Amino acid sequence: MIEMFQEWYENRHQYAKEWKRKNGRKVIGYFCTYVPEEILHAAGILPVRILGSHEPQDMTEPHIFGMFCPFCRDCLAQGLKGRFDYLDGITIAQSCLHIRQTFTSWDLHIPVEYSYYLPMPNRVQSQRALPYLTGELEAFKKSVEGWIGKKISDADLDRAIDIYNTNRRLMKEVYDLRKDDNPPLSGVEAMYMVVSSQMVDKEEHNMILQETLKELKGRKRNGGGERLIIVGSEDDDTEFLKMVESLGAIFVVDDHCTGTRYFWNEVMPGNNRLEAIAKRYIERPPCPSKDWEVRTRIPHIINLAKEYRVKGAIIIQQKFCDPHELDIPAIEKEFKKVGIPTLFLEFDVTVPVGQFKVRVEAFLEMLRQEDLF
């Protein structure tokens, strides 16, 4: 069953097209995991996260600055190439300026029937953030209702919240299994699981998750390896994870928007459904653009590292990703305080696997020498 996640990830476009044909409903692309998917699911829409393809391209130069991060340029390239030609709409919740520019360029040059910019507050620690975002979600819901031509009821929202919370709970159960001395799944398998959940119908994903949990509880992997955490910018570079794990290490946890940040906390149901949803997105483990004035993200990462008993941390940053770059010195300092060595790598659209392999081998050798002495 666990292979299904990889199949969904690799055939995401075929899946969405088939879902649309089979269900006769709309598909919307979203650029950031701060988009409240629950509202879209309640409307009967399939939300599909727009990610890159990790292929070299030169299509985006006329549309977006070359010093913007490779992830946002790769995403825009997918639209310009027509890979997402099945989308009926696009949406974004404010996160960083680079991905916002991708949304704006897409909106200008790749026509779709619906687009919506959601002003998600960056200062989520403000007392005004919750009422502000609740109001914005009311406006978003009204806009979606106008687009699909029907009201989204409280019962629709309750069902969507329950389905999404179930998905989060099941993925967290899978992550709990990674605390074992010999985790039953690899880091790349865990990445396929989470990223595919951003692209397929959550009810289908939940069914496969339930079967996967049964499978994993009886599964034995060969070997242990150095336990690693991977932290940083958006990352669905499965080739990098495969390369690291081929060297005998294993990723046991992460702090990515394609990992734990996507599903770590749930919506706590309340009488005001939109306020409950808003609260979840305000209180989720933040990305650096929203982690101020008090830095809550770094203690969360250190707690994950301790909880999953990691021996080393690989910190990655998409080239030119300013929010994550500003966080890295503080993260490295905190890892050093708790005796966890770090390796920093800068990612581009394509990862130089050969160069990175040499650096990762040296890092793992250092960890192994610590075991000897």
Side-chain angles (χ1 to χ4, degrees), residues 200-218:
V200 305
D201 190 309
K202 284 286 193 293
E203 289 179 84
E204 282 186 60
H205 203 262
N206 286 348
M207 284 191 285
I208 299 299
L209 273 172
Q210 284 163 347
E211 294 302 316
T212 297
L213 271 166
K214 291 178 197 167
E215 178 184 320
L216 290 176
K217 284 172 182 170

PDB file of all heavy atoms in Angstrom, residues 200-218:
ATOM      1  N   VAL A 200      -4.009  14.687  -3.730  1.00  0.00           N
ATOM      2  CA  VAL A 200      -5.102  13.755  -4.034  1.00  0.00           C
ATOM      3  C   VAL A 200      -6.265  13.973  -3.070  1.00  0.00           C
ATOM      4  O   VAL A 200      -6.135  14.673  -2.055  1.00  0.00           O
ATOM      5  CB  VAL A 200      -4.630  12.279  -3.960  1.00  0.00           C
ATOM      6  CG1 VAL A 200      -3.430  12.046  -4.861  1.00  0.00           C
ATOM      7  CG2 VAL A 200      -4.309  11.865  -2.539  1.00  0.00           C
ATOM      8  N   ASP A 201      -7.382  13.364  -3.402  1.00  0.00           N
ATOM      9  CA  ASP A 201      -8.573  13.455  -2.555  1.00  0.00           C
ATOM     10  C   ASP A 201      -8.245  12.895  -1.177  1.00  0.00           C
ATOM     11  O   ASP A 201      -7.779  11.763  -1.047  1.00  0.00           O
ATOM     12  CB  ASP A 201      -9.697  12.641  -3.217  1.00  0.00           C
ATOM     13  CG  ASP A 201     -11.034  12.860  -2.545  1.00  0.00           C
ATOM     14  OD1 ASP A 201     -11.085  12.732  -1.304  1.00  0.00           O
ATOM     15  OD2 ASP A 201     -12.007  13.140  -3.255  1.00  0.00           O
ATOM     16  N   LYS A 202      -8.510  13.703  -0.138  1.00  0.00           N
ATOM     17  CA  LYS A 202      -8.137  13.302   1.218  1.00  0.00           C
ATOM     18  C   LYS A 202      -8.839  12.014   1.663  1.00  0.00           C
ATOM     19  O   LYS A 202      -8.273  11.240   2.443  1.00  0.00           O
ATOM     20  CB  LYS A 202      -8.464  14.417   2.208  1.00  0.00           C
ATOM     21  CG  LYS A 202      -7.470  15.586   2.181  1.00  0.00           C
ATOM     22  CD  LYS A 202      -6.140  15.219   2.832  1.00  0.00           C
ATOM     23  CE  LYS A 202      -5.260  16.438   3.093  1.00  0.00           C
ATOM     24  NZ  LYS A 202      -4.770  17.099   1.870  1.00  0.00           N
ATOM     25  N   GLU A 203     -10.051  11.780   1.192  1.00  0.00           N
ATOM     26  CA  GLU A 203     -10.745  10.561   1.614  1.00  0.00           C
ATOM     27  C   GLU A 203     -10.037   9.322   1.072  1.00  0.00           C
ATOM     28  O   GLU A 203      -9.879   8.320   1.771  1.00  0.00           O
ATOM     29  CB  GLU A 203     -12.201  10.598   1.155  1.00  0.00           C
ATOM     30  CG  GLU A 203     -13.025  11.610   1.941  1.00  0.00           C
ATOM     31  CD  GLU A 203     -14.454  11.673   1.475  1.00  0.00           C
ATOM     32  OE1 GLU A 203     -15.262  10.844   1.918  1.00  0.00           O
ATOM     33  OE2 GLU A 203     -14.772  12.560   0.658  1.00  0.00           O
ATOM     34  N   GLU A 204      -9.561   9.402  -0.179  1.00  0.00           N
ATOM     35  CA  GLU A 204      -8.788   8.291  -0.747  1.00  0.00           C
ATOM     36  C   GLU A 204      -7.475   8.130   0.000  1.00  0.00           C
ATOM     37  O   GLU A 204      -7.025   7.017   0.278  1.00  0.00           O
ATOM     38  CB  GLU A 204      -8.495   8.558  -2.230  1.00  0.00           C
ATOM     39  CG  GLU A 204      -9.651   8.293  -3.157  1.00  0.00           C
ATOM     40  CD  GLU A 204      -9.221   8.443  -4.605  1.00  0.00           C
ATOM     41  OE1 GLU A 204      -8.324   7.712  -5.042  1.00  0.00           O
ATOM     42  OE2 GLU A 204      -9.786   9.315  -5.297  1.00  0.00           O
ATOM     43  N   HIS A 205      -6.845   9.276   0.291  1.00  0.00           N
ATOM     44  CA  HIS A 205      -5.566   9.236   0.998  1.00  0.00           C
ATOM     45  C   HIS A 205      -5.737   8.601   2.382  1.00  0.00           C
ATOM     46  O   HIS A 205      -4.896   7.803   2.825  1.00  0.00           O
ATOM     47  CB  HIS A 205      -5.005  10.660   1.129  1.00  0.00           C
ATOM     48  CG  HIS A 205      -3.524  10.723   1.326  1.00  0.00           C
ATOM     49  ND1 HIS A 205      -2.952  10.872   2.570  1.00  0.00           N
ATOM     50  CD2 HIS A 205      -2.494  10.641   0.457  1.00  0.00           C
ATOM     51  CE1 HIS A 205      -1.627  10.891   2.444  1.00  0.00           C
ATOM     52  NE2 HIS A 205      -1.320  10.755   1.183  1.00  0.00           N
ATOM     53  N   ASN A 206      -6.844   8.928   3.048  1.00  0.00           N
ATOM     54  CA  ASN A 206      -7.091   8.348   4.376  1.00  0.00           C
ATOM     55  C   ASN A 206      -7.243   6.822   4.304  1.00  0.00           C
ATOM     56  O   ASN A 206      -6.750   6.097   5.180  1.00  0.00           O
ATOM     57  CB  ASN A 206      -8.356   8.955   4.991  1.00  0.00           C
ATOM     58  CG  ASN A 206      -8.127  10.379   5.482  1.00  0.00           C
ATOM     59  OD1 ASN A 206      -6.984  10.835   5.567  1.00  0.00           O
ATOM     60  ND2 ASN A 206      -9.195  11.084   5.801  1.00  0.00           N
ATOM     61  N   MET A 207      -7.916   6.352   3.265  1.00  0.00           N
ATOM     62  CA  MET A 207      -8.105   4.893   3.142  1.00  0.00           C
ATOM     63  C   MET A 207      -6.754   4.190   2.983  1.00  0.00           C
ATOM     64  O   MET A 207      -6.487   3.167   3.617  1.00  0.00           O
ATOM     65  CB  MET A 207      -9.016   4.571   1.938  1.00  0.00           C
ATOM     66  CG  MET A 207     -10.479   4.856   2.215  1.00  0.00           C
ATOM     67  SD  MET A 207     -11.571   4.192   0.936  1.00  0.00           S
ATOM     68  CE  MET A 207     -11.294   5.351  -0.382  1.00  0.00           C
ATOM     69  N   ILE A 208      -5.881   4.760   2.141  1.00  0.00           N
ATOM     70  CA  ILE A 208      -4.569   4.145   1.934  1.00  0.00           C
ATOM     71  C   ILE A 208      -3.711   4.277   3.193  1.00  0.00           C
ATOM     72  O   ILE A 208      -2.946   3.369   3.541  1.00  0.00           O
ATOM     73  CB  ILE A 208      -3.864   4.767   0.708  1.00  0.00           C
ATOM     74  CG1 ILE A 208      -4.690   4.527  -0.557  1.00  0.00           C
ATOM     75  CG2 ILE A 208      -2.456   4.196   0.534  1.00  0.00           C
ATOM     76  CD1 ILE A 208      -4.896   3.062  -0.916  1.00  0.00           C
ATOM     77  N   LEU A 209      -3.859   5.398   3.895  1.00  0.00           N
ATOM     78  CA  LEU A 209      -3.112   5.570   5.150  1.00  0.00           C
ATOM     79  C   LEU A 209      -3.478   4.499   6.174  1.00  0.00           C
ATOM     80  O   LEU A 209      -2.608   3.954   6.866  1.00  0.00           O
ATOM     81  CB  LEU A 209      -3.395   6.953   5.746  1.00  0.00           C
ATOM     82  CG  LEU A 209      -2.525   8.118   5.268  1.00  0.00           C
ATOM     83  CD1 LEU A 209      -3.070   9.431   5.818  1.00  0.00           C
ATOM     84  CD2 LEU A 209      -1.080   7.937   5.707  1.00  0.00           C
ATOM     85  N   GLN A 210      -4.780   4.206   6.274  1.00  0.00           N
ATOM     86  CA  GLN A 210      -5.211   3.188   7.242  1.00  0.00           C
ATOM     87  C   GLN A 210      -4.606   1.825   6.905  1.00  0.00           C
ATOM     88  O   GLN A 210      -4.146   1.101   7.791  1.00  0.00           O
ATOM     89  CB  GLN A 210      -6.745   3.125   7.265  1.00  0.00           C
ATOM     90  CG  GLN A 210      -7.352   4.304   8.019  1.00  0.00           C
ATOM     91  CD  GLN A 210      -8.829   4.508   7.740  1.00  0.00           C
ATOM     92  OE1 GLN A 210      -9.376   3.922   6.799  1.00  0.00           O
ATOM     93  NE2 GLN A 210      -9.473   5.351   8.522  1.00  0.00           N
ATOM     94  N   GLU A 211      -4.591   1.479   5.630  1.00  0.00           N
ATOM     95  CA  GLU A 211      -3.993   0.203   5.210  1.00  0.00           C
ATOM     96  C   GLU A 211      -2.476   0.223   5.414  1.00  0.00           C
ATOM     97  O   GLU A 211      -1.870  -0.780   5.802  1.00  0.00           O
ATOM     98  CB  GLU A 211      -4.329  -0.066   3.735  1.00  0.00           C
ATOM     99  CG  GLU A 211      -5.802  -0.296   3.461  1.00  0.00           C
ATOM    100  CD  GLU A 211      -6.367  -1.461   4.267  1.00  0.00           C
ATOM    101  OE1 GLU A 211      -5.697  -2.508   4.330  1.00  0.00           O
ATOM    102  OE2 GLU A 211      -7.452  -1.311   4.852  1.00  0.00           O
ATOM    103  N   THR A 212      -1.861   1.385   5.155  1.00  0.00           N
ATOM    104  CA  THR A 212      -0.408   1.512   5.314  1.00  0.00           C
ATOM    105  C   THR A 212       0.003   1.316   6.767  1.00  0.00           C
ATOM    106  O   THR A 212       1.025   0.679   7.063  1.00  0.00           O
ATOM    107  CB  THR A 212       0.046   2.905   4.817  1.00  0.00           C
ATOM    108  OG1 THR A 212      -0.248   2.996   3.428  1.00  0.00           O
ATOM    109  CG2 THR A 212       1.538   3.109   5.016  1.00  0.00           C
ATOM    110  N   LEU A 213      -0.788   1.878   7.681  1.00  0.00           N
ATOM    111  CA  LEU A 213      -0.462   1.719   9.105  1.00  0.00           C
ATOM    112  C   LEU A 213      -0.447   0.249   9.506  1.00  0.00           C
ATOM    113  O   LEU A 213       0.447  -0.210  10.223  1.00  0.00           O
ATOM    114  CB  LEU A 213      -1.469   2.489   9.957  1.00  0.00           C
ATOM    115  CG  LEU A 213      -1.097   3.945  10.243  1.00  0.00           C
ATOM    116  CD1 LEU A 213      -2.289   4.712  10.785  1.00  0.00           C
ATOM    117  CD2 LEU A 213       0.068   4.019  11.238  1.00  0.00           C
ATOM    118  N   LYS A 214      -1.428  -0.511   9.010  1.00  0.00           N
ATOM    119  CA  LYS A 214      -1.457  -1.956   9.314  1.00  0.00           C
ATOM    120  C   LYS A 214      -0.210  -2.623   8.742  1.00  0.00           C
ATOM    121  O   LYS A 214       0.421  -3.458   9.399  1.00  0.00           O
ATOM    122  CB  LYS A 214      -2.706  -2.604   8.688  1.00  0.00           C
ATOM    123  CG  LYS A 214      -4.017  -2.188   9.322  1.00  0.00           C
ATOM    124  CD  LYS A 214      -5.166  -2.858   8.573  1.00  0.00           C
ATOM    125  CE  LYS A 214      -6.483  -2.182   8.889  1.00  0.00           C
ATOM    126  NZ  LYS A 214      -7.551  -2.599   7.958  1.00  0.00           N
ATOM    127  N   GLU A 215       0.150  -2.248   7.502  1.00  0.00           N
ATOM    128  CA  GLU A 215       1.304  -2.843   6.819  1.00  0.00           C
ATOM    129  C   GLU A 215       2.602  -2.508   7.567  1.00  0.00           C
ATOM    130  O   GLU A 215       3.451  -3.383   7.785  1.00  0.00           O
ATOM    131  CB  GLU A 215       1.345  -2.288   5.392  1.00  0.00           C
ATOM    132  CG  GLU A 215       2.497  -2.754   4.537  1.00  0.00           C
ATOM    133  CD  GLU A 215       2.477  -2.046   3.170  1.00  0.00           C
ATOM    134  OE1 GLU A 215       1.390  -1.860   2.597  1.00  0.00           O
ATOM    135  OE2 GLU A 215       3.563  -1.676   2.697  1.00  0.00           O
ATOM    136  N   LEU A 216       2.725  -1.253   7.997  1.00  0.00           N
ATOM    137  CA  LEU A 216       3.983  -0.826   8.619  1.00  0.00           C
ATOM    138  C   LEU A 216       4.193  -1.476   9.978  1.00  0.00           C
ATOM    139  O   LEU A 216       5.341  -1.710  10.389  1.00  0.00           O
ATOM    140  CB  LEU A 216       4.005   0.699   8.768  1.00  0.00           C
ATOM    141  CG  LEU A 216       4.139   1.508   7.470  1.00  0.00           C
ATOM    142  CD1 LEU A 216       4.051   2.999   7.762  1.00  0.00           C
ATOM    143  CD2 LEU A 216       5.468   1.188   6.781  1.00  0.00           C
ATOM    144  N   LYS A 217       3.101  -1.773  10.683  1.00  0.00           N
ATOM    145  CA  LYS A 217       3.241  -2.355  12.016  1.00  0.00           C
ATOM    146  C   LYS A 217       3.841  -3.757  11.968  1.00  0.00           C
ATOM    147  O   LYS A 217       4.358  -4.241  12.960  1.00  0.00           O
ATOM    148  CB  LYS A 217       1.893  -2.323  12.744  1.00  0.00           C
ATOM    149  CG  LYS A 217       1.571  -0.905  13.240  1.00  0.00           C
ATOM    150  CD  LYS A 217       0.181  -0.751  13.799  1.00  0.00           C
ATOM    151  CE  LYS A 217      -0.051   0.709  14.203  1.00  0.00           C
ATOM    152  NZ  LYS A 217      -1.453   0.992  14.536  1.00  0.00           N
ATOM    153  N   GLY A 218       3.772  -4.397  10.795  1.00  0.00           N
ATOM    154  CA  GLY A 218       4.380  -5.722  10.669  1.00  0.00           C
ATOM    155  C   GLY A 218       5.596  -5.723   9.757  1.00  0.00           C
ATOM    156  O   GLY A 218       6.061  -6.774   9.342  1.00  0.00           O
TER     157      GLY A 218
END
